[in-house]
Amino acid sequence: MTTLLDTPQQASRWCQRQRDTGKSIGYVPTMGALHDGHLSLVRRSVSENDITCVSIFINPLQFNNPEDLESYPRSMESDLVMLQEAGCDMVYTGSLETFFPDQTSSLENSVPVEPVKLRGLEADCRPGHLEGVKAIVERLFATVGQCSAYFGEKDFQQTLLVKDIANRHGEIDVVVCPTVRETSGLAMSSRNQRLSTAALELASCLYQALVEADNAWRQGERNPLRLEQLMQDKLDRPGIEIEYATVRDPLNWTIDTPTHLNDSAQALIAAYIDGVRLIDNLALGSCGCSES
Ligand code: AMP
């Protein structure tokens, strides 16, 4: 039976009791409205740890747009059923007040991270978003304590930031898991629920654009501007509003597009379809997709 706790303070005590009996903890932070992408992280945690806990908290601090926060899908009851079936041992929730009892509206007192990790792409398009992620991730890590924490590669910039936070924290081992996709290639996302059937079909263009860049990369293309152009051409369709379609060196994050790429590249896209903001990314040269 999955234990449900209402505050981070209760969750913290629960996790400590598990550690006191020698159990390893796997932890999956989420904002709920769970799908197979989230569950892949939970299943991996279950397979690698004695105990798995999941948090469900829609963090207002990381929403730069109040309407997006308002319309973010919520489905607590079905989430709990899915988590129980996936073998999750404990789920906890909280509120801004219980996560930040000392400083509800302030992001002060947090650990410094490498400044570039809070810059570029998502930081430019969603001012304050990464700072909001950083604030809550610090609290989530402090709540659970020593654990392996599972994150999806789908939120690529988030993974860079949380790895940096975890390095400074010292007790958290971050595990980055592959993006789970629909058969169309569309990355699973809680926001997909808000797309019409036609928009869902159009949204698969994001993945097709990433595959286009991947094919070119495999054929030796290393010019960042040409890789970007290929993606932009693929996304040039009525109904798709591109925020960015670009490449970065994942091992050396830069605010702007690098002038050249060597051994590794991450293609990243953000676009609006039907008023819904979607993001996706792909490590070039690493996906199992065909070149056709
Ligand atoms: P969220 O509820 O959107 O905050 O996501 C919680 C965690 O699930 C984050 O680490 C996400 O990167 C991860 N996640 C979301 N979608 C997917 C997906 N399609 N595949 C793998 N992980 C995902």
Side-chain angles (χ1 to χ4, degrees):
M1 193 69 187
T2 308
T3 302
L4 177 60
L5 302 173
D6 292 332
T7 67
Q9 289 74 17
Q10 290 172 319
S12 184
R13 288 194 291 273
W14 189 95
C15 290
Q16 191 51 52
R17 282 201 299 277
Q18 303 304 320
R19 268 190 302 275
D20 288 347
T21 60
K23 291 187 172 138
S24 64
I25 298 180
Y27 170 46
V28 183
T30 81
M31 297 201 297
L34 303 182
H35 49 67
D36 261 341
H38 297 110
L39 296 178
S40 72
L41 309 188
V42 176
R43 291 191 194 104
R44 174 119 176 234
S45 170
V46 168
S47 74
E48 294 180 353
N49 300 277
D50 297 324
I51 289 289
T52 289
C53 74
V54 171
S55 56
I56 298 182
F57 176 57
I58 303 177
N59 169 32
L61 300 177
Q62 71 189 67
F63 284 79
N64 57 313
N65 174 348
E67 282 148 36
D68 190 25
L69 173 60
E70 183 71 22
S71 59
Y72 198 83
R74 289 153 170 90
S75 53
M76 193 60 158
E77 271 182 34
S78 58
D79 288 354
L80 292 176
V81 173
M82 284 190 246
L83 289 172
Q84 167 109 9
E85 281 171 6
C88 168
D89 299 283
M90 185 270 274
V91 180
Y92 77 97
T93 59
S95 59
L96 262 187
E97 290 72 25
T98 51
F99 273 111
F100 300 92
D102 43 343
Q103 44 162 1
T104 316
S105 60
S106 158
L107 303 183
E108 286 162 15
N109 295 338
S110 57
V111 294
V113 292
E114 201 190 342
V116 74
K117 300 281 164 60
L118 292 167
R119 306 279 309 273
L121 303 188
E122 289 299 291
D124 296 337
C125 299
R126 302 183 69 189
H129 166 66
L130 290 176
E131 285 82 359
V133 169
K134 177 172 178 289
I136 192 65
V137 166
E138 285 172 6
R139 292 299 162 117
L140 295 169
F141 283 175
T143 298
V144 175
Q146 185 171 20
C147 68
S148 293
Y150 295 78
F151 289 85
E153 188 174 38
K154 167 159 184 296
D155 295 277
F156 186 76
Q157 272 184 270
Q158 177 171 282
T159 65
L160 298 181
L161 179 60
V162 297
K163 280 194 244 174
D164 199 331
I165 296 170
N167 279 341
R168 286 155 211 267
H169 192 283
E171 288 190 312
I172 313 285
D173 178 27
V174 170
V175 183
V176 177
C177 305
T179 301
V180 177
R181 300 178 179 282
E182 305 287 354
T183 42
S184 67
L186 173 64
M188 289 190 184
S189 164
S190 307
R191 288 191 164 87
N192 293 354
Q193 289 181 28
R194 292 167 50 201
L195 295 172
S196 65
T197 311
L200 276 172
E201 207 171 303
L202 190 59
S204 65
C205 286
L206 268 67
Y207 181 63
Q208 288 160 20
L210 295 170
V211 170
E212 195 84 2
D214 186 65
N215 286 340
W217 176 269
R218 284 162 193 269
Q219 284 159 17
E221 182 62 81
R222 295 292 181 270
N223 183 326
L225 297 181
R226 279 205 288 272
L227 291 165
E228 288 183 351
Q229 192 59 54
L230 285 169
M231 289 193 282
Q232 280 161 13
D233 290 347
K234 197 79 190 177
L235 292 168
D236 185 15
R237 301 266 302 264
I240 302 183
E241 192 190 319
I242 307 173
E243 275 200 325
Y244 57 78
T246 187
V247 284
R248 292 287 181 278
D249 180 345
L251 304 176
N252 179 23
W253 186 258
T254 49
I255 298 165
D256 300 314
T257 308
T259 47
H260 64 277
L261 292 160
N262 295 318
D263 299 332
S264 56
Q266 202 81 18
L268 303 112
I269 294 175
Y272 278 92
I273 295 181
D274 247 7
V276 179
R277 186 173 190 273
L278 301 173
I279 59 170
D280 201 353
N281 71 87
L282 193 66
L284 298 187
S286 74
C287 85
C289 34
S290 79
E291 299 202 359
S292 62

